[in-house]
Amino acid sequence: MENFIVSARKYRPATFDTVVGQQHITSTLKNAIKSNQLAQAFLFCGPRGVGKTTCARILAKTINCQNPTADTEACDVCESCVSFKHGGSLNIHELDAASNNSVDDIRSLVDQVRYAPQSGKKKIYIIDEVHMLSNNAFNAFLKTLEEPPPYAIFILATTEKHKIIPTILSRCQIFDFNRIQVNDITTHLAEICKKEKITAEAQALHIIAQKADGALRDALSIFDQVVSFAGGSLTYKAVIDNLNILDYDYYFKITTALIKEDSATVLLIFDEILDRGFDGNNFIVGLAEHFRNLLVCKDEKTLQLLEVSEEVKEKYRYQATQSSPSFLLSALNIAAQCDVQYKMSKNQRLHVELALLKLCHITAAITMQSTTSVDEVKKKRLTAEVANEQSAGIVSQSVSPTVVSEEKSEIPKPVSSPVPKPADEPQKAVASKSSIQLPKFDDLEQSYLAEQQKQSMVAEDGASSATLPQTSFTKEQFMIVWGAYAEKLKLGGKANLHLLLTQKEPLINNFSITVQVENKVQKEQLQEEKTDLMAFVREQLANFSIELLIEEAVFTDDGPALYTASDRFKHLATKNPALLELKKRLDLDLEF
């Protein structure tokens, strides 16, 4: 009986052209050999099983080949190529750094570098898993790697580049190997099937390629395993049975039931999956991947991201038309949460079943939410219209340019400070303040304001708004509105702002209102209240062009108002400097 050789060794690439999925690296190395511009050290890094060590051996063999082809490939017939093929080459040395990672191992390698090759062009040292070297071994290797003899070339290979110290990285040409694409692995497996006279379904090879996750060596190992199970005929069912992979059909069936909101069917399918021995966590992860694939199929531009066979791709494309993007996004979110919380759940089956029941009612929840949103918009618009009509009626009844009644004839003047109400009558005080009379405008202005408020409500829902009104007003009308807001501030506990608005009459110039304040503190307080103040004034006067300017007053010889004890003392000291001398001699201090 002949010794069996696994496919990963039997079909290991022997030339650059037979390397799968790394054309960007093989073409660079071939050009470097052809132009005789080889670096002193190479670093091949990337995931497992993508061809790092294989490319290192091909590079070493091609460099020492005595009769390279026109395409810069090794001839495989010269003395150097034959000795390398049989493992007897004296010029190519391979070191496994995983088991030879000490300083003594590296020193022994450095001693070998001193001797020139007896035959051939170069002495090449391949160090695999170089990240396993200790820091001391790296340091012992630095000088030789930086200034090697002209006949020495180092090829380092690693799966974890981040573990290599920067001083080593800076002395190497770095080549990053990619994960091999599913289509490339599938094509390579199909060629092996032809050589081995094995019939294989395209969908079965796709499953093997997806299971390999970009590693060709893993794909070949899985291929050997499945061939041992199924014999000379590889079918899709044989592959998923041997690899314990959940069939695509389960995900398609369960998604169809979710779209139809058939919770009973969903739970029965999940029970069947568990009876077949599949884990609930693997199922929910696969379901999330299924939703992702459906979302990818929504656009022709992203369809290329789907790494499945053409037959399955057509199924995805059809089911994507039956599901909405909102459903798929919500389903992805629920599946992701279920995956995160699965291991922490004590009843894991119930946890997955609850997630599936949530998925069943996504469509109903989206429909209910959209209906509720429309109803809320309509209700909000109706409430606003009723409030506008009520406010218009109140203003028309309460606003009058003359005295309305004897009980409410005393309207507070904006300039003078109002007389405070007794503390034992708070309710009466509130009632009197709420009965402040506002100016009554003509009917045309009233209707224009109401119409403008309705248009502003429509503008919030996306419609275009009309031009803002600029109704004229008299000074008396403005001062009544100004005083009304000042009283509103006093009722709200903002006595300082009330005093600020009433102690000095504002200057009115067309639609520009100027208020003079005495210091920066007053200016900042009024600036904070400006938005609400102008909104009230503009609405009551039906003029949205009114602007408020705040200026600090320029004081005359009388000076500014004296608010603090320090201000009063300085004012008195300017009139009688002897106060300063008195304060100094008696070591007095001001009481604040």
Side-chain angles (χ1 to χ4, degrees):
M1 179 182 292
E2 296 182 0
N3 293 329
F4 173 73
I5 301 177
V6 295
S7 299
R9 290 181 56 195
K10 185 176 181 180
Y11 295 101
R12 190 169 196 167
T15 61
F16 286 121
D17 290 339
T18 55
V19 175
V20 179
Q22 308 295 345
Q23 284 75 19
H24 64 293
I25 292 177
T26 56
S27 59
T28 303
L29 295 177
K30 288 169 66 176
N31 291 334
I33 296 173
K34 187 175 182 179
S35 60
N36 196 20
Q37 294 180 353
L38 291 170
Q40 60 192 17
F42 298 89
L43 176 62
F44 294 167
C45 50
R48 69 181 191 281
V50 295
K52 300 184 297 296
T53 307
T54 298
C55 282
R57 291 176 176 176
I58 295 174
L59 175 62
K61 183 177 69 170
T62 308
I63 290 174
N64 279 331
C65 180
Q66 299 173 358
N67 300 308
T69 64
D71 195 24
T72 320
E73 295 282 4
C75 65
D76 282 335
V77 294
C78 67
E79 180 182 356
S80 176
C81 292
V82 172
S83 62
F84 174 78
K85 184 177 181 181
H86 293 88
S89 177
L90 299 177
N91 295 330
I92 300 175
H93 304 274
E94 194 166 346
L95 177 69
D96 180 21
S99 56
N100 302 280
N101 54 7
S102 65
V103 180
D104 294 335
D105 295 321
I106 295 300
R107 287 175 179 171
S108 176
L109 184 144
V110 171
D111 290 339
Q112 296 179 23
V113 174
R114 297 176 182 175
Y115 302 102
Q118 297 299 319
S119 62
K121 305 175 184 177
K122 302 283 185 180
K123 289 188 73 172
I124 302 170
Y125 297 88
I126 301 173
I127 304 178
D128 203 4
E129 302 297 335
V130 70
H131 66 274
M132 298 293 288
L133 291 177
S134 63
N135 286 333
N136 292 333
F138 273 129
N139 293 330
F141 190 42
L142 278 177
K143 191 63 176 177
T144 304
L145 191 65
E146 183 177 11
E147 297 178 358
Y151 51 79
I153 294 178
F154 296 95
I155 306 176
L156 315 180
T158 180
T159 56
E160 302 182 42
K161 184 175 69 172
H162 60 280
K163 291 186 178 180
I164 301 177
I165 60 177
T167 49
I168 293 290
L169 295 176
S170 63
R171 290 164 169 81
C172 301
Q173 269 191 9
I174 302 175
F175 291 86
D176 291 307
F177 283 68
N178 299 330
R179 291 173 61 253
I180 302 177
Q181 299 297 321
V182 172
N183 292 334
D184 293 336
I185 296 178
T186 304
T187 304
H188 187 65
L189 292 178
E191 293 176 357
I192 293 177
C193 287
K194 290 180 180 179
K195 294 178 182 178
E196 296 291 335
K197 298 180 180 179
I198 297 173
T199 59
E201 295 180 359
Q203 197 169 347
L205 298 181
H206 261 281
I207 291 293
I208 296 175
Q210 293 176 29
K211 188 73 173 178
D213 193 26
L216 184 58
R217 183 173 61 231
D218 293 353
L220 293 173
S221 300
I222 296 172
F223 175 77
D224 289 341
Q225 175 184 338
V226 176
V227 169
S228 300
F229 172 77
S233 178
L234 288 185
T235 62
Y236 172 74
K237 189 176 184 308
V239 172
I240 62 174
D241 288 344
N242 181 258
L243 300 180
N244 198 31
I245 297 175
L246 198 57
D247 192 0
Y248 285 121
D249 289 338
Y250 280 107
Y251 294 124
F252 284 113
K253 291 177 183 178
I254 207 165
T255 304
T256 302
L258 291 175
I259 295 173
K260 294 180 179 179
E261 301 183 7
D262 188 356
S263 57
T265 303
V266 170
L267 295 178
L268 290 175
I269 294 175
F270 179 60
D271 181 69
E272 181 183 348
I273 291 171
L274 294 180
D275 289 342
R276 293 191 57 188
F278 291 99
D279 182 58
N281 192 19
N282 292 337
F283 161 73
I284 204 69
V285 170
L287 186 60
E289 178 70 16
H290 183 77
F291 292 145
R292 176 260 182 191
N293 292 340
L294 290 176
L295 199 59
V296 164
C297 291
K298 282 290 183 180
D299 193 341
E300 291 293 334
K301 297 179 181 178
T302 57
L303 193 60
Q304 60 182 350
L305 301 178
L306 199 61
E307 295 181 340
V308 294
S309 62
E310 290 298 327
E311 181 182 352
V312 178
K313 188 177 293 186
E314 288 299 324
K315 292 182 179 180
Y316 273 114
R317 186 184 286 109
Y318 172 75
Q319 192 170 69
T321 60
Q322 309 299 318
S323 54
S324 63
S326 57
F327 169 80
L328 295 176
L329 289 173
S330 301
L332 272 172
N333 187 25
I334 294 175
Q337 292 178 357
C338 181
D339 178 29
V340 172
Q341 301 171 1
Y342 183 84
K343 294 183 179 180
M344 297 183 292
S345 176
K346 293 183 178 179
N347 191 341
Q348 295 178 337
R349 173 169 181 165
L350 178 60
H351 182 66
V352 177
E353 288 176 342
L354 285 175
L356 292 175
L357 292 176
K358 290 180 183 178
L359 293 172
C360 281
H361 296 86
I362 287 178
T363 305
I366 294 173
T367 305
M368 184 182 300
Q369 183 178 6
S370 60
T371 305
T372 304
S373 301
V374 173
D375 293 341
E376 288 179 354
V377 171
K378 292 181 179 179
K379 184 177 179 181
K380 180 179 177 182
R381 186 180 303 173
L382 181 61
T383 304
E385 292 178 357
V386 173
N388 291 336
E389 293 176 0
Q390 290 178 353
S391 62
I394 292 173
V395 172
S396 63
Q397 293 176 7
S398 61
V399 176
S400 176
T402 59
V403 178
V404 177
S405 63
E406 295 179 359
E407 295 179 357
K408 302 179 181 180
S409 60
E410 295 182 0
I411 299 175
K413 298 181 180 180
V415 179
S416 61
S417 301
V419 179
K421 297 293 180 181
D424 57 347
E425 297 181 359
Q427 295 182 354
K428 184 176 180 182
V430 173
S432 62
K433 300 305 178 184
S434 62
S435 61
I436 297 172
Q437 305 303 313
L438 300 178
K440 181 178 181 181
F441 310 117
D442 54 35
D443 295 338
L444 179 61
E445 293 172 337
Q446 288 273 351
S447 60
Y448 194 94
L449 176 59
E451 181 63 24
Q452 178 58 33
Q453 291 174 341
K454 291 182 180 180
Q455 291 180 357
S456 63
M457 290 298 299
V458 174
E460 293 179 357
D461 296 332
S464 59
S465 58
T467 306
L468 296 176
Q470 296 182 356
T471 307
S472 59
F473 55 87
T474 63
K475 181 178 180 180
E476 290 75 12
Q477 291 173 337
F478 174 81
M479 293 308 300
I480 291 175
V481 174
W482 188 266
Y485 191 82
E487 292 299 321
K488 179 181 176 182
L489 291 175
K490 186 174 182 181
L491 292 176
K494 299 181 179 180
N496 292 337
L497 284 173
H498 170 267
L499 181 62
L500 184 60
L501 295 182
T502 56
Q503 69 180 354
K504 195 169 184 180
E505 185 175 318
L507 303 178
I508 303 174
N509 183 13
N510 292 332
F511 298 153
S512 178
I513 311 302
T514 304
V515 177
Q516 291 187 343
V517 296
E518 297 179 354
N519 50 50
K520 292 184 178 179
V521 176
Q522 293 182 350
K523 185 175 181 179
E524 291 177 357
Q525 291 178 346
L526 190 56
Q527 192 69 35
E528 293 178 358
E529 192 67 26
K530 179 179 178 181
T531 302
D532 295 337
L533 172 60
M534 295 312 299
F536 180 83
V537 173
R538 290 169 177 171
E539 182 179 357
Q540 296 299 329
L541 296 178
N543 190 321
F544 288 84
S545 298
I546 299 176
E547 295 294 337
L548 179 64
L549 302 177
I550 305 173
E551 296 180 353
E552 289 190 45
V554 179
F555 298 104
T556 58
D557 296 338
D558 296 337
L562 306 178
Y563 291 100
T564 64
S566 178
D567 293 338
R568 290 193 291 272
F569 176 78
K570 291 179 181 179
H571 178 69
L572 293 174
T574 55
K575 295 184 177 180
N576 188 358
L579 288 175
L580 295 174
E581 186 66 22
L582 176 65
K583 178 177 179 296
K584 180 178 179 182
R585 290 186 178 185
L586 299 180
D587 194 19
L588 300 178
D589 198 1
L590 298 176
E591 293 184 359
F592 294 96

